Amino acid sequence: VKIIYQNSDLILAQSESFKKHLKKNYKIKNKVFTLHHPSDYNFQKYNYKKNKYFYITYAGNFGKAQDFNTMLNAFKSEQINKNVKLNLIGSGKKFNYLKNEIKKNKLNSKIILSSFKNKNKINKILKNSSAFFITLNEGKSLNKTIPGKFQTYIAYGKPILICSYSYLNNFIVKNNLGLASKPNDTKKLIYNINKVFNMNEHNKKKIYFSSKKIYEKLFEINVVTKKLEMYLYMAKKKYVNKNLL
């Protein structure tokens, strides 16, 4: 890996945390840049209908990289408002585990588990959601990762609840995109869920406009494409000049 990095003319990291890691651990100075993965969705209009239930949606993989036990423990308690529902959509090694845990703990009225939907159905579900959930276990790479679902969530401008040790915790809190807690801290996650549930219209709109600002700066497809073109041009120019010497 070290040889590959040293012989590359351009290195693109998917987060600032990865960029710092590469610069520090591989002694790279001028050829590593951050380029975020663009969102597959256009930024949505403000949409916060007063529904009977408050849906927190997770859409993605159910695997070892995720910590669902903290969220399950939160919903086992009686401290979360009964109108809060968790919508789990996806697939992976932990799908059957989640299915069994929900059944065993009689959480069917609180947690809805379903397999992947097509893009149109996901769009409809995300539009009708009140908040979103991200979870990551601890790991050297996971702590620096921005999971792909984040770019999708941010396009809807609603509060994001994150449960991880990752760089993304600070990013979400710093940019007023939602609330953060750590795996195994069930008490803090319950507090964050209730805080988002009781959030007033003013704070919801603040999160919406903060999301719009970050989306347009880092995750909009045309912005990302222009940055990529610029980085490729810089790398090519440097490569040509180096070969002329």
Side-chain angles (χ1 to χ4, degrees):
V1 171
K2 190 174 183 180
I3 291 167
I4 290 168
Y5 285 144
Q6 286 174 343
N7 287 279
S8 296
D9 294 293
L10 174 66
I11 301 168
L12 299 174
Q14 64 116 247
S15 71
E16 284 294 318
S17 184
F18 262 124
K19 186 175 89 171
K20 288 175 184 176
H21 169 78
L22 291 171
K23 283 192 165 188
K24 181 181 176 182
N25 291 281
Y26 295 96
K27 313 298 180 194
I28 300 167
K29 292 183 179 180
N30 303 317
K31 59 183 180 182
V32 56
F33 301 93
T34 303
L35 187 73
H36 295 92
H37 295 167
S39 175
D40 290 334
Y41 294 81
N42 294 324
F43 196 81
Q44 305 292 307
K45 290 180 181 178
Y46 186 77
N47 176 39
Y48 230 111
K49 296 176 183 176
K50 286 187 177 179
N51 297 317
K52 182 180 178 182
Y53 297 115
F54 185 96
Y55 285 102
I56 299 170
T57 297
Y58 172 92
N61 187 51
F62 304 137
K64 290 182 179 179
Q66 289 79 32
D67 162 52
F68 291 104
N69 288 334
T70 308
M71 181 60 96
L72 286 170
N73 289 334
F75 274 85
K76 284 178 196 175
S77 76
E78 298 299 322
Q79 297 174 50
I80 295 173
N81 189 288
K82 64 181 181 179
N83 289 324
V84 177
K85 308 285 184 187
L86 178 62
N87 202 7
L88 298 175
I89 306 163
S91 64
K93 291 181 179 179
K94 281 193 173 182
F95 186 91
N96 288 330
Y97 166 78
L98 288 167
K99 188 178 179 180
N100 293 332
E101 284 295 304
I102 291 165
K103 186 178 180 180
K104 185 174 77 177
N105 294 286
K106 298 178 181 178
L107 296 173
N108 299 76
S109 62
K110 298 179 179 181
I111 303 175
I112 304 106
L113 177 67
S114 59
S115 57
F116 268 122
K117 315 288 183 192
N118 63 41
K119 192 173 178 179
N120 289 335
K121 285 184 179 178
I122 286 287
N123 180 44
K124 191 175 180 181
I125 290 167
L126 296 178
K127 274 186 177 180
N128 291 320
S129 298
S130 306
F132 303 119
F133 180 57
I134 293 174
T135 174
L136 287 169
N137 274 317
E138 187 172 18
K140 285 183 179 180
S141 293
L142 290 174
N143 291 350
K144 301 175 184 68
T145 297
I146 298 178
K149 64 181 67 60
F150 175 72
Q151 288 92 308
T152 300
Y153 291 166
I154 202 173
Y156 291 83
K158 294 177 181 178
I160 297 171
L161 293 163
I162 184 166
C163 181
S164 82
Y165 295 101
S166 73
Y167 149 86
L168 197 53
N169 280 44
N170 293 330
F171 185 89
I172 285 171
V173 173
K174 182 182 175 183
N175 291 290
N176 190 33
L177 306 173
L179 302 170
S181 60
K182 293 178 180 178
N184 301 316
D185 192 348
T186 306
K187 189 177 178 180
K188 182 67 183 290
L189 180 58
I190 290 170
Y191 172 82
N192 287 347
I193 290 170
N194 288 329
K195 189 173 181 180
V196 167
F197 175 75
N198 292 308
M199 193 174 283
N200 61 34
E201 192 73 13
H202 174 71
N203 286 327
K204 286 174 185 174
K205 284 189 175 178
K206 279 179 74 175
I207 284 178
Y208 175 81
F209 288 111
S210 295
S211 300
K212 190 172 189 288
K213 182 181 176 182
I214 294 296
Y215 173 91
E216 290 175 347
K217 182 181 178 183
L218 300 176
F219 300 105
E220 199 275 325
I221 184 69
N222 293 310
V223 169
V224 175
T225 303
K226 284 179 182 176
K227 282 184 181 178
L228 177 58
E229 287 175 344
M230 180 183 71
Y231 293 147
L232 290 171
Y233 175 77
M234 287 165 57
K236 183 185 175 185
K237 194 174 180 182
K238 193 179 290 183
Y239 175 78
V240 170
N241 289 341
K242 189 168 67 178
N243 278 274
L244 287 172
L245 295 174

